[in-house]
Amino acid sequence: METVQTIERTEAFESPWAGGVSPFKTSWQKLMMWLFIIGDALLFAGFLAIYGFVRLASPSWPNRAEVFHLELIALMTTALISSGATMATAVEAARRGHWRMVVRFLLLTLAGGLAFLGMQAYEWSQFIAAGATLQSNPWGVPPFGASFFLITGFHGAHVSIGIVILLITAVRSATGRSRAGGLELAGLYWAFVDLVWVFIFPLFYLI
Amino acid sequence: MIPTPIGNATPHATGFWRRYIFSADHKVIGIQYYLTAMAMALVAGALALLMRIQLTWPGIRLSWLGKLFPAGMPGGVMTPEFYLSLITMHGTLMVFFVISLALVSGFGNYLIPIQIGARDMAYPFLNMLSFWLVVPACLIMLGSFFVEGGAAAAGWTAYPPLSALPQAVPGSGWGQTLWLLAMALFIVSFTMGGLNYVTTILNLRTKGMSMMRLPLTVWTLFFAAVLGLLTFPALTAAAIMLLFDRHFGTSFFVPGGLFVGGEIVPHEGGTPLLWQHLFWFLGHPEVYVLLLPAVGMTFDVLAAFTRKPVFGYRLVVISLIVLTALSVVVWGHHMFVSGMSPYLGEFFTIGTMLITVPSAVIGLCLIASLWGGCLRLTTPMLFAIGVIALFGTGGFGGIFLGNATSDIFLHGSYFVVGHFHFMIGGVTLFAMFAATYFWFPKMFGRSMNERLGRIHFWLSLIGFYGMFLGMHFLGLNGLPRRYYAFTQFEILKPLQGMHLWISISSFLFAAASFLFLFNFFWSLARGSRAARNPWEATTLEWTVRSPPPHGNWEAEPPQVHRWAYEYSAPDAARDFTPQTVEPDGAMAPK
Amino acid sequence: MGVIFNILMRNHPSTLAAATTGPLQGRSHGLLLALFCLLVPFLCFLFWKQHQPPPVASEHGAGIDLMINYLLAAVGGLLLVGHAILAWFVWRFSRQDRVTFRLATVRTEWKWALVPVVLMLLVAEGGVLVFGVPVWKKFYVAKAPANALTVEVTGQQFVWHFRYPGKDGLFGRTHVKFIDDDNVLGLDPTDAAGRDDLIVNGQLRLPVNRPVRLRLRSKDVLHGFFLPSQRVRQDIVPGMLIEVWFVPNQAGQFEILCTELCGLGHHMMRGLLQVMPEREFEQWLNQNHS
Ligand code: HEM
Ligand SMILES: [Cu+2]
Ligand SMILES: [Cu+2]
């Protein structure tokens, strides 16, 4: 039990760190947004996993081609994806300081999002008119209707929140109170909402 | 939204409300969390005592309680449904509203910024919001005792169909709905906290504070936050769907063809096992969320009172990484006999036995940290050693339960109750006490009473072992958990002696806890003034005055020059070298 | 009173040195703690002498007992060694006032880390692979032998129902819509296979030494079917039909417990298991079918 002092070890911990905004060279706002998105994505993953579990456990599942208007869904998807592209343009414009252009593209994005929501509302109304509820539906096992309403509804809620965020950002940009960093955050969120749809679309409507 | 590297503290507020109630200062929020947890612990502990009284003297009449709970204890005699509400609420409160709040949210908020050299959390306002979401969650949970049917009664695991069908048990009426709502609020709040923790630890460290210089408290809180962020979404999704099953007629967790309370249940198509998978996908990592910070704080206390660095800092960090990764793939060990595929059972057994490896490495580092030290057996140190003992005793019990074959006999028995109380009850409580005695001078600028602290320690230690060691062996007899009374079975009747022993121990533990409460509040008013660094410790929080000023540092945030455990450094003037001390000739390699 | 209070409350040390001086500090606490650590394994042993599983009464149960006993011995040994080491460290290092060992080299750390790694891999993982998995396979994965008797167990808040298939060896169909006071399981009156089904309430009779296959069903919520002496435990999940099989090898009367929370009467959901010689069993079955 002699005194062992290992300079070797002390040195091993001498990795200096300059402080500041590293390690990912991002601001904390952006890092936090990313973490939030990961968490939220996992929530969607949870829903989709439940959906998959219930669907596998069901004796049968309705034929999607008969139930859904796939053209409408394709249109919805297009609207949402193009709004993603316009949003990316807006973010880029903000980075270069072209605020007029930012506002214009934000409005385009808003239009895309609203079009998506409108079509989704139409789809829902069609479903409800046909007699689908959370408890049952005319096409097959009850979990079909329930998971449809729950998952598309949850995504729709995300789109709606996104639209509110976009509206606020648009107003702020028009009045010169926005910064590029803020736009980037809104852009991240909007891209996430798009991306989730890219998962829901095939898993729910195609496969 | 300009990225601000360090200066996150909101301007110093003046009025009473902004300063002590709706404060965005991480230290105030930490203390608020801690006090909330203390209040909830009083309730949850009282519930536990009521349970122990009922189990030891079944049907005993406690008239004065009959007035408080006219439905649950008519005339002072407990009904079975009330007992089930008690276990449910005790478990839920203890896990989520006591230990999570005190260790992760309370000490986490207080310590993270100040230990990494930041002025505050990354997003102080979000932090304040997260606290003010927990308050209604607590009130809803407590309030649920007084609604029709009483509080939730399906266990803290809330397995459907029991939790989904109001006709299955009285507590599954409004009580269960309120339980789900309160849990939802809690999850949102905890997620906000987790976002802040991870961001703050990654981005707001002061100059020189590289990851491998962080105190282990911060490391463990980091992994706890990461685990929370990764696994709470599963419970959130499940809770939302259970709410839909209960109130909107969906059938995610309720299959068709059920007959409950004389009626056919209208649901069709769900699978109850799905809930169990989702619940335990969170539930298992949740025990690490509680356990890891407890271990991290224990390391900090050990270092300060052995006057030497912890053993195997690097090993601990690596083990934490492995543990975090493995902990999300072992949830099935709670479901060996649930009707899940037996092949999955094998998979989860092997995974669970693997996870004993990093746990045992952490155990080794805890014990080995004592080696060669010069132990100062102050109250925090006594509790820290208590943590090591509990971690050892409780951890070995886990080997019996993670093994599918022995779990066939032990599942759902008091062995389980004994085991998890050691881990998420004992290790965490003792670490919480150690942390309280240790950081109290920093938090409140006064010292706690040592003598009372030591008495508190000894009573707690004896009481705790008395309660939960015995429970393991009741489980070995086959005694099932969640039983309102053990009077109906011949094989369970002979065990009443052990129940008496356990209950007496629990009274001892309760008495000790009151001693602690008394000490806490007495010292708050009368304790002698504490200096900056009463324990002669090395980490950053000890370099500022006690209690620290708003924004933590009077001038510039400190610059860090060394790792967190520079105790008894050779050639140093004193037996501790704070992290802020610049290396000079004395430290250079010879 | 006041004096005791004063003595108790005077001790508010505000420095490390002050906290570690005075009566009953330092060494004495170290010794006490060390003794306590040694007491724990001893206490475990005492408790174990008093509290053991009921005598085993099934074939595979011996395997489960072997697993548990192996763990008791191996883990108990580790517990003893672990606590002894802790006791020694606490006692030994509370008696010195100078740090005698400061930092291990990285290599030493890794070397020591191998100890728990190897121990855990051997004791925990090895134990489960050697003793555990074969029993698990036998209980859960292997199919019941052809000569097995099949009995259906239905859990209901808070009673057990047992159904024997009758001479045709077939269970009649059931449906929830037929359930009433006289037809607790909801037997379909139009199904001929169900005519000779024998339904018994609360008591399960089984022949000794013959494999029995249980079909577990629930009418309402989760239940847990637990035969402590036979080391049989299986949760019952509504909406699922779960099968387990085992061979009771001791005649006698045993209790059946519910071990998954099912509501108010969970603690009194008692059943009886009567394991009887094959001849007696056949006699009973015949009597009740006619
Ligand atoms: C300190 C005094 C404590 C006592 C006397 C105590 C006692 C009990 C008792 C008697 C049960 C019910 C057993 C049953 O009927 O199944 C129980 C369950 C439980 N306790 Fe504690 N406990 C204590 C502390 C804690 C702590 C600190 C935690 C922290 C996590 C905790 C978590 C739980 C959980 C999760 C359950 C399971 C509830 C359920 O079955 O749904 N307990 N406790
Ligand atoms: Cu687990
Ligand atoms: Cu039950």
Side-chain angles (χ1 to χ4, degrees):
Chain A
M1 271 190 279
E2 85 286 25
T3 320
V4 180
Q5 285 129 7
T6 40
I7 304 299
E8 173 200 346
R9 265 304 294 275
T10 328
E11 275 182 327
F13 290 102
E14 300 265 331
S15 51
W17 150 259
V21 293
S22 269
F24 301 119
K25 301 269 187 286
T26 52
S27 64
W28 64 261
Q29 287 94 337
K30 213 160 139 190
L31 182 61
M32 198 180 266
M33 187 50 121
W34 270 109
L35 293 170
F36 168 76
I37 285 177
I38 292 172
D40 214 21
L42 285 168
L43 188 53
F44 273 105
F47 279 124
L48 288 173
I50 295 174
Y51 157 71
F53 206 104
V54 172
R55 183 166 162 181
L56 287 179
S58 293
S60 69
W61 203 251
N63 182 353
R64 267 79 57 220
E66 280 168 25
V67 181
F68 299 119
H69 301 292
L70 281 179
E71 311 82 49
L72 179 71
I73 312 298
L75 210 62
M76 279 166 76
T77 309
T78 320
L80 198 64
I81 305 259
S82 359
S83 81
T86 53
M87 187 70 204
T89 320
V91 173
E92 191 48 41
R95 209 171 280 150
R96 287 201 246 101
H98 302 325
W99 288 97
R100 299 266 311 262
M101 192 166 151
V102 170
V103 177
R104 222 171 295 142
F105 274 92
L106 276 180
L107 290 179
L108 277 178
T109 312
L110 264 172
L114 284 173
F116 176 87
L117 268 192
M119 286 186 268
Q120 187 164 51
Y122 172 75
E123 193 197 9
W124 272 45
S125 65
Q126 291 285 0
F127 256 61
I128 294 169
T133 62
L134 282 168
Q135 289 93 337
S136 66
N137 62 80
W139 306 286
V141 289
F144 172 70
S147 38
F148 169 79
F149 283 121
L150 208 75
I151 293 179
T152 58
F154 199 64
H155 177 260
H158 274 73
V159 177
S160 312
I161 293 172
I163 284 176
V164 174
I165 295 176
L166 287 179
L167 264 176
I168 296 173
T169 322
V171 172
R172 286 174 62 101
S173 305
T175 53
R177 279 180 296 158
S178 255
R179 296 227 171 68
L183 248 112
E184 223 173 306
L185 295 188
L188 270 177
Y189 179 79
W190 193 255
F192 164 66
V193 172
D194 272 11
L195 190 70
V196 170
W197 182 255
V198 171
F199 278 93
I200 294 178
F201 171 63
L203 286 178
F204 220 96
Y205 293 93
L206 297 184
I207 307 176
Chain B
M1 291 206 190
I2 324 162
T4 36
I6 301 259
N8 279 87
T10 44
H12 192 24
T14 39
F16 170 81
W17 285 93
R18 297 302 303 277
R19 241 173 116 173
Y20 297 113
I21 310 294
F22 295 103
S23 168
D25 182 339
H26 73 98
K27 298 187 292 300
V28 177
I29 294 176
I31 293 170
Q32 284 175 326
Y33 268 120
Y34 185 90
L35 294 178
T36 312
M38 203 184 245
M40 298 309 268
L42 274 177
V43 178
L47 302 185
L49 288 186
L50 277 183
M51 281 152 34
R52 285 313 318 168
I53 292 173
Q54 158 65 21
L55 292 181
T56 319
W57 300 282
I60 189 177
R61 180 179 296 275
L62 302 165
S63 320
W64 44 282
L65 273 173
K67 297 205 182 68
L68 184 57
F69 302 108
M73 301 190 64
V77 179
M78 191 182 292
T79 60
E81 54 267 40
F82 191 63
Y83 181 82
L84 297 184
S85 293
L86 290 184
I87 59 159
T88 307
M89 297 303 283
H90 162 79
T92 311
L93 290 179
M94 281 292 189
V95 170
F96 297 107
F97 292 86
V98 176
I99 306 292
S100 291
L101 283 202
L103 275 180
V104 184
S105 306
F107 282 108
N109 266 309
Y110 197 95
L111 293 175
I112 288 177
I114 202 167
Q115 283 199 329
I116 66 172
R119 289 201 183 276
D120 206 314
M121 285 285 178
Y123 197 169
F125 177 75
L126 190 71
N127 212 15
M128 176 178 93
L129 204 61
S130 86
F131 174 72
W132 284 105
L133 280 177
V134 149
V135 173
C138 292
L139 294 179
I140 293 176
M141 272 291 173
L142 295 182
S144 74
F145 266 110
F146 303 99
V147 297
E148 165 137 35
W156 82 288
T157 51
Y159 281 3
L162 195 62
S163 62
L165 305 173
Q167 63 271 43
V169 66
S172 285
W174 273 105
Q176 191 70 44
T177 301
L178 293 180
W179 186 92
L180 284 165
L181 286 179
M183 282 307 297
L185 282 178
F186 173 84
I187 294 172
V188 173
S189 150
F190 205 73
T191 307
M192 288 177 175
L195 289 175
N196 247 328
Y197 286 14
V198 176
T199 315
T200 307
I201 295 171
L202 285 181
N203 260 22
L204 296 192
R205 281 166 291 133
T206 188
K207 246 187 162 125
M209 182 62 95
S210 58
M211 290 303 270
M212 292 309 272
R213 283 175 173 175
L214 289 175
L216 283 169
T217 300
V218 178
W219 265 116
T220 49
L221 283 163
F222 177 75
F223 283 111
V226 168
L227 267 179
L229 286 181
L230 289 182
T231 56
F232 265 111
L235 183 62
T236 315
I240 291 175
M241 292 188 148
L242 187 57
L243 264 178
F244 269 74
D245 274 9
R246 292 171 47 78
H247 292 287
F248 306 108
T250 59
S251 309
F252 292 106
F253 303 119
V254 187
L258 300 191
F259 190 83
V260 181
E263 289 168 41
I264 298 180
V265 174
H267 294 264
E268 190 188 330
T271 60
L273 279 192
L274 179 55
W275 170 273
Q276 301 186 17
H277 281 293
L278 291 164
F279 181 88
W280 286 115
F281 182 76
L282 157 89
H284 184 80
E286 170 67 15
V287 311
Y288 290 97
V289 170
L290 306 181
L291 209 63
L292 296 184
V295 169
M297 290 172 203
T298 304
F299 272 115
D300 278 12
V301 173
L302 283 178
F305 296 111
T306 52
R307 311 307 297 163
K308 64 178 271 292
V310 299
F311 178 87
Y313 179 90
R314 220 171 274 267
L315 285 177
V316 175
V317 174
I318 293 170
S319 303
L320 287 175
I321 296 172
V322 178
L323 208 63
T324 305
L326 281 180
S327 74
V328 293
V329 292
V330 296
W331 77 88
H333 60 215
H334 299 269
M335 299 174 60
F336 286 137
V337 299
S338 68
M340 154 184 101
S341 153
Y343 297 103
L344 275 181
E346 272 175 50
F347 166 79
F348 282 121
T349 292
I350 291 171
T352 305
M353 293 299 111
L354 271 185
I355 211 171
T356 60
V357 171
S359 315
V361 171
I362 290 183
L364 169 94
C365 293
L366 280 170
I367 286 203
S369 287
L370 300 177
W371 178 264
C374 112
L375 268 51
R376 309 288 185 86
L377 293 170
T378 57
T379 307
M381 181 61 170
L382 289 175
F383 275 103
I385 296 174
V387 169
I388 306 182
L390 290 165
F391 190 83
T393 321
F396 287 131
I399 301 179
F400 288 75
L401 297 171
N403 177 323
T405 306
S406 40
D407 191 56
I408 294 175
F409 186 69
L410 296 171
H411 178 87
S413 74
Y414 261 69
F415 195 96
V416 180
V417 181
H419 163 68
F420 70 66
H421 276 96
F422 261 92
M423 300 311 277
I424 60 171
V427 168
T428 53
L429 274 185
F430 275 56
M432 200 176 91
F433 288 134
T436 307
Y437 286 102
F438 187 61
W439 278 295
F440 188 93
K442 181 53 58 187
M443 293 162 84
F444 302 107
R446 290 177 186 271
S447 314
M448 278 180 89
N449 186 299
E450 267 292 308
R451 208 163 286 164
L452 279 192
R454 281 154 206 254
I455 299 174
H456 170 216
F457 167 74
W458 282 105
L459 293 185
S460 300
L461 190 72
I462 295 168
F464 201 90
Y465 268 93
M467 280 190 278
F468 298 116
L469 206 58
M471 286 195 190
H472 282 86
F473 293 89
L474 288 178
L476 217 47
N477 283 124
L479 190 86
R481 69 192 274 207
R482 294 173 173 173
Y483 267 31
Y484 158 72
F486 299 105
T487 48
Q488 310 290 321
F489 290 86
E490 296 309 319
I491 52 165
L492 305 183
K493 281 182 187 163
L495 305 175
Q496 217 53 24
M498 180 64 105
H499 280 294
L500 184 61
W501 159 266
I502 291 175
S503 291
I504 291 174
S505 307
S506 74
F507 300 148
L508 194 66
F509 190 85
S513 304
F514 276 104
L515 215 54
F516 168 75
L517 282 181
F518 175 75
N519 192 351
F520 187 94
F521 289 107
W522 173 274
S523 308
L524 213 51
R526 298 285 184 83
S528 57
R529 296 259 170 220
R532 246 165 226 263
N533 192 359
W535 308 122
E536 308 187 341
T538 54
T539 42
L540 290 185
E541 73 273 27
W542 302 108
T543 59
V544 291
R545 74 174 134 86
S546 312
H550 186 79
N552 295 348
W553 279 275
E554 280 110 347
E556 279 295 289
Q559 185 165 351
V560 167
H561 298 282
R562 55 192 73 238
W563 71 317
Y565 300 106
E566 202 78 292
Y567 287 98
S568 299
D571 308 329
R574 312 195 50 184
D575 68 350
F576 68 103
T577 320
Q579 284 185 281
T580 48
V581 173
E582 283 180 44
D584 53 34
M587 278 305 301
K590 283 177 196 152
Chain C
M1 228 13 228
V3 178
I4 299 178
F5 185 76
N6 271 339
I7 292 179
L8 276 179
M9 295 313 298
R10 223 182 304 128
N11 196 341
H12 280 280
S14 45
T15 62
L16 181 58
T20 44
T21 52
L24 242 198
Q25 317 243 319
R27 290 178 187 184
S28 40
H29 277 284
L31 185 65
L32 282 175
L33 249 182
L35 289 177
F36 185 86
C37 291
L38 289 178
L39 186 68
V40 170
F42 180 67
L43 211 60
C44 285
F45 182 75
L46 273 190
F47 281 156
W48 173 75
K49 292 291 271 183
Q50 308 275 320
H51 295 270
Q52 291 180 12
V56 62
S58 72
E59 232 171 51
H60 78 284
I64 293 186
D65 278 14
L66 181 65
M67 182 78 250
I68 294 182
N69 288 334
Y70 161 80
L71 286 177
L72 281 171
V75 175
L78 289 182
L79 184 92
L80 179 67
V81 174
H83 282 73
I85 293 178
L86 181 60
W88 177 40
F89 280 15
V90 171
W91 175 76
R92 168 71 186 76
F93 296 113
S94 61
R95 298 175 76 249
Q96 63 182 30
D97 37 38
R98 183 175 80 79
V99 169
T100 48
F101 177 88
R102 191 172 165 262
L103 265 179
T105 59
V106 179
R107 284 195 48 163
T108 321
E109 275 177 7
W110 281 98
K111 251 189 283 173
W112 278 100
L114 276 181
V115 176
V117 171
V118 171
L119 269 182
M120 282 302 127
L121 284 179
L122 272 181
V123 171
E125 196 77 78
V128 86
L129 290 179
V130 174
F131 298 104
V133 172
V135 187
W136 178 259
K137 284 221 157 84
K138 176 160 188 212
F139 182 57
Y140 265 127
V141 183
K143 286 271 157 288
N147 70 336
L149 168 78
T150 306
V151 186
E152 184 182 270
V153 179
T154 305
Q156 170 193 338
Q157 286 182 324
F158 308 100
V159 281
W160 299 103
H161 302 292
F162 304 100
R163 177 156 71 129
Y164 298 81
K167 295 228 166 50
D168 57 2
L170 295 175
F171 289 105
R173 264 198 313 274
T174 60
H175 194 280
V176 62
K177 69 185 173 214
F178 299 116
I179 294 182
D180 61 33
D181 287 348
D182 302 321
N183 187 356
V184 283
L185 295 186
L187 272 178
D188 185 342
T190 61
D191 186 7
R195 300 260 155 78
D196 64 346
D197 285 9
L198 171 65
I199 298 174
V200 193
N201 215 312
Q203 188 157 12
L204 171 64
R205 280 168 225 259
L206 294 178
V208 70
N209 287 332
R210 176 165 162 207
V212 48
R213 180 197 294 119
L214 299 176
R215 299 167 18 125
L216 301 159
R217 299 198 314 151
S218 165
K219 267 171 81 173
D220 37 41
V221 295
L222 293 166
H223 296 280
F225 183 79
F226 181 36
L227 303 175
S229 300
Q230 282 70 23
R231 313 288 191 258
V232 170
R233 185 193 308 264
Q234 175 59 55
D235 280 6
I236 307 183
V237 186
M240 284 173 80
L241 183 78
I242 299 173
E243 290 198 352
V244 292
W245 72 275
F246 67 102
V247 189
N249 60 6
Q250 300 280 320
Q253 204 179 47
F254 306 93
E255 280 174 315
I256 304 174
L257 287 77
C258 177
T259 55
E260 192 59 70
L261 180 56
C262 61
L264 306 183
H266 175 51
H267 67 286
M268 50 184 196
M269 188 163 162
R270 178 170 184 258
L272 278 181
L273 167 66
Q274 185 91 45
V275 182
M276 39 177 62
E278 177 103 40
R279 281 261 301 289
E280 243 175 81
F281 175 77
E282 292 296 341
Q283 226 169 23
W284 170 79
L285 207 58
N286 285 332
Q287 258 167 25
N288 284 276
H289 276 309
S290 51

